[in-house]
């Protein structure tokens, strides 16, 4: 494994960030994987919300391939409130929005009188998955910035289950929190559960929605992902996020499925 950069993003000004090699997409080395920008926009949105509210859902639209160049973040409050709040953020690259996110926060409150049973995922394997081979790729920035420990599906196409640990901070100089850990890996769901050969087929999510029951505790987030294909070039990935204590939330990604032309 090559040496890790300091973080996914280096702050270079007020709300301005330089992406490092850790954001590199497996689809295009000049583009960013969707996970780090999602977490960056969530971080910016979270910073505008009062304590006592927790992000419960974030929907992210990838408006174009995300260039691995300097980006600016803009945040706008769409629906202020003390109990629920809706906020929008944009990742601006070269003067244009490359990613847009909308997030709902919900105020926390008293513990309900009924508690939902939560089933923990399989135990963390004792050793990391050596040189995680993502459809033949082993040396790409985002893939190396995550530690992968598979409990199923590593050697086959289709459904996959994997423990993940983000190795570096989201932003240089800032401690990585649980929300960022979950969102950095959520957009990997369609990749780890791809059902078609990577070098022959594109499987591209133009949008992703992550709904969270709670934010993870500790370093590890578990991803249980499945991809389903329709007969007309569309697909759908759904995934469950967990930590060692049980379920965290759900991920949904509609997919563009196309055979590569070159």
């Amino acid at each position: 494994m090559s040496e890790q950069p300091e973080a996914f993003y280096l702050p270079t000004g007020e709300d301005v960030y330089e992406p490092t090699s850790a954001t590199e997409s497996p689809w295009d080395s000049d583009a960013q994987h969707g996970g780090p920008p999602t977490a960056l926009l969530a971080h910016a949105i979270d910073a505008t919300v009062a304590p006592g509210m927790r992000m419960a859902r974030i929907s992210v639209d990838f408006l174009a391939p995300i260039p691995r160049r300097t980006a600016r973040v803009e945040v706008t409050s769409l629906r202020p409130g003390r109990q629920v709040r809706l906020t929008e953020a944009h990742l601006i690259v070269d003067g244009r929005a490359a990613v847009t996110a909308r997030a709902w926060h919900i105020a926390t409150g008293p513990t309900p009188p009924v508690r939902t049973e939560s089933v923990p995922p399989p135990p963390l394997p004792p050793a990391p998955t050596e040189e995680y081979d993502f459809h033949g790729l082993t040396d790409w920035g985002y893939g190396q910035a995550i530690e992968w420990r598979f409990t199923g599906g590593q050697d086959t196409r289709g459904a996959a289950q994997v423990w993940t640990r983000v190795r570096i901070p989201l932003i240089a100089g800032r401690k990585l929190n649980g929300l960022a850990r979950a969102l950095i890996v959520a957009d990997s769901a369609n990749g780890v559960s791809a059902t078609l050969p990577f070098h022959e087929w594109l499987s591209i999510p133009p949008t992703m929605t992550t709904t969270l029951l709670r934010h993870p505790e500790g370093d590890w987030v578990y991803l249980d992902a499945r991809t389903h294909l329709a007969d007309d070039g569309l697909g759908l990935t759904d995934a469950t996020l967990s930590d060692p204590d049980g379920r965290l939330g759900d991920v949904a990604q509609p997919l563009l499925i196309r055979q590569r032309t070159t």
Side-chain angles (χ1 to χ4, degrees), residues 175-255:
K175 185 178 179 180
L176 187 68
N177 63 21
L179 177 63
R181 287 189 184 278
L183 295 180
I184 287 171
V185 301
D187 191 54
S188 297
N190 70 299
V192 299
S193 67
T195 59
L196 294 168
F198 170 78
H199 293 292
E200 299 176 21
W201 291 84
L202 296 172
S203 176
I204 301 174
T207 185
M208 176 185 70
T209 298
T210 302
T211 305
L212 293 167
L213 173 65
R214 57 185 180 84
H215 295 178
E217 299 287 341
D219 293 346
W220 293 92
V221 173
Y222 188 72
L223 191 62
D224 182 355
R226 303 150 296 276
T227 292
H228 317 270
L229 302 182
D231 295 335
D232 58 356
L234 275 71
L236 172 65
T237 294
D238 61 82
T240 302
L241 293 169
S242 303
D243 69 3
D245 292 330
R247 185 173 182 168
L248 297 172
D250 300 296
V251 179
Q253 298 169 291
L255 304 173

Side-chain angles (χ1 to χ4, degrees), residues 4-256:
Q4 291 292 319
E6 182 181 359
F8 289 95
Y9 295 100
L10 307 177
T12 60
E14 186 175 358
D15 301 322
V16 178
Y17 300 91
E18 182 72 27
T20 69
S21 61
T23 65
E24 179 190 2
S25 167
W27 310 104
D28 180 351
S29 61
D30 293 325
Q32 298 185 52
H33 187 279
T38 298
L40 182 65
L41 292 180
H43 163 82
I45 289 172
D46 234 23
T48 68
V49 177
M53 301 192 84
R54 189 168 71 238
M55 188 176 292
R57 192 211 73 180
I58 184 166
S59 293
V60 183
D61 297 319
F62 306 112
L63 305 180
I66 311 163
R68 205 147 52 85
R69 295 196 291 274
T70 302
R72 178 170 48 87
V73 175
E74 295 180 351
V75 180
T76 305
S77 176
L78 298 180
R79 198 280 191 192
R82 291 184 296 175
Q83 298 296 321
V84 295
R85 178 184 177 96
L86 177 63
T87 311
E88 184 174 77
H90 304 279
L91 188 75
I92 310 296
V93 183
D94 298 335
R96 302 178 64 178
V99 186
T100 295
R102 284 190 171 192
W104 280 99
H105 281 73
I106 298 176
T108 57
T111 302
V114 175
R115 196 174 192 89
T116 306
E117 280 294 324
S118 188
V119 179
L124 178 70
T129 301
E130 294 296 331
E131 288 295 328
Y132 170 41
D133 181 345
F134 179 82
H135 304 279
L137 296 177
T138 57
D139 186 19
W140 52 293
Y142 172 86
Q144 293 193 352
I146 313 295
E147 181 177 343
W148 310 87
R149 297 194 186 188
F150 280 81
T151 63
Q154 176 195 356
D155 300 319
T156 59
R157 298 191 188 106
Q161 302 79 37
V162 58
W163 282 102
T164 67
R165 182 180 69 86
V166 181
R167 289 184 161 121
I168 58 176
L170 175 65
I171 301 169
R174 292 181 177 268
K175 185 178 179 180
L176 187 68
N177 63 21
L179 177 63
R181 287 189 184 278
L183 295 180
I184 287 171
V185 301
D187 191 54
S188 297
N190 70 299
V192 299
S193 67
T195 59
L196 294 168
F198 170 78
H199 293 292
E200 299 176 21
W201 291 84
L202 296 172
S203 176
I204 301 174
T207 185
M208 176 185 70
T209 298
T210 302
T211 305
L212 293 167
L213 173 65
R214 57 185 180 84
H215 295 178
E217 299 287 341
D219 293 346
W220 293 92
V221 173
Y222 188 72
L223 191 62
D224 182 355
R226 303 150 296 276
T227 292
H228 317 270
L229 302 182
D231 295 335
D232 58 356
L234 275 71
L236 172 65
T237 294
D238 61 82
T240 302
L241 293 169
S242 303
D243 69 3
D245 292 330
R247 185 173 182 168
L248 297 172
D250 300 296
V251 179
Q253 298 169 291
L255 304 173
L256 171 74

